[in-house]
Amino acid sequence: MAEPQAAPVHSPVLMLGGGLMGLAIAHQLACRGRSVTVLSRDRHEAAGFAAAGMLAPHAEGLEGALLALGQESLRRIPDWVGQVEADSGLACGLRNSGVVVPFRSSVEREAFPTARWGEGLDRAALERQVPGIGAGFRCGLLFAQDGQIDNRRRLMRALERACIQRGVRLLEGVEVQGLLRGGVAGEFQGVTLTTAQGERQILAAGQAVLCGGAWSGLLLSGLPVEPLKGQMLSLQAPREALPRVVFGPGTYLVPRQDGLVVVGATIERCGFHRELSPAGLRQLQRGIRELLPAASHWPLMERWSGFRPCTPDAGPLLGASGIPGLFLATGHHRNGVLLAAITASISTELICGTLDPVCAGLLQAFRWDRFRDCADIGLSAMVCR
Ligand code: GLY
């Protein structure tokens, strides 16, 4: 097998993963004139197709650096989506629907980490925002600045189309087997992979982004990313029956423009077992009954599951890795759709060497080396399976 050669400065950048992050970064890089190849094993596995699409740093109750990252991403989303829509010619279903978080007591509400960013609602105001809200909820917070996007039916497809329009090479059915390293500093030099036809190949490249979602740790052992399964379902509501997203304890309802309501989600630590279970369904149905009793009568349309890529502190892994030339964009846990815009931007700027001080500051809290256990990543990545 021939040794891969060191890549020239502007050789293609590889996306190791063809989900939301891989496509979003590939698109931004292509907009900057870079040549990009996306390696995707099975596009349907992507969390971007499973998530509910909430753009909700406040309703999710994020704190500290993660809240700042989420807020910055939220600020950038309209422009980012505009660019994806312009390049693809497809609407992404971005809605400034606002998100209501209901509480059983005012004590609970006051303790909510992002309470100061929301508008307080007493029971009457809560009922006006969410007609038919369950009787157990006494007050709420309205985060009018939070919203949603139709990731599953629209954004993912639009991103794929935008990438193609910008000349990105999308390789589907490709399984990356290992990373190739060489040179004095053990730089990234490419990957070994199995093609959709089952052939083993080497793909040389000087730069890559590891954006394999919940599967990222399989490629870079030592990377603390584990799958957390979420079971979801959708209901068909009468149009406009639910004007706001409702983010209840353990269950949320996300109404799309056409009346489809996405309901999530279980949180299960069970490896990569994607089965839909009766217990998962019961949990969601119980949540729906408590949150919005009328919704129990809306027809069930679909059930599915996906895997959140979770790190020990629930924050993403972004930026440089211990391997020169390899960047990380993974571990987005519950906030992948929200963080796609800022992740694409930061990753692109880093790769192009034009990261501004604001983004550099945001990045600090999400470096891979904040986890001591990761200290051996540089060595373990030598392994080519
Ligand atoms: N962001 C919602 C969830 O992960 O279920």
Side-chain angles (χ1 to χ4, degrees), residues 54 60 252 265 308 334:
M54 275 182 292
E60 286 266 5
Y252 46 80
R308 305 173 184 88
R334 297 177 61 91

Side-chain angles (χ1 to χ4, degrees), residues 101-115 136-141 247-249:
V101 183
F103 298 95
R104 296 183 196 284
S105 71
S106 53
V107 176
E108 254 181 35
R109 182 177 69 185
E110 272 139 39
F112 198 66
T114 48
F137 296 102
R138 306 309 307 158
C139 57
L141 285 167
F247 192 99

Side-chain angles (χ1 to χ4, degrees), residues 32-80:
R32 296 282 293 263
R34 296 298 300 268
S35 149
V36 190
T37 300
V38 176
L39 305 178
S40 164
R41 183 175 63 180
D42 179 355
R43 60 194 281 282
H44 297 104
E45 289 182 334
F49 280 115
M54 275 182 292
L55 306 171
H58 306 97
E60 286 266 5
L62 303 186
E63 296 181 81
L66 190 54
L67 175 61
L69 191 73
Q71 287 173 322
E72 182 57 25
S73 200
L74 188 65
R75 198 180 65 75
R76 291 169 183 237
I77 279 168
D79 284 350
W80 173 63

Side-chain angles (χ1 to χ4, degrees), residues 51-54 56 60 228 230-232 247 252 264-267 308 332-337:
M54 275 182 292
E60 286 266 5
L228 271 191
Q231 296 188 47
M232 319 222 7
F247 192 99
Y252 46 80
T266 64
I267 300 177
R308 305 173 184 88
H332 293 78
H333 193 207
R334 297 177 61 91
N335 299 295
V337 182

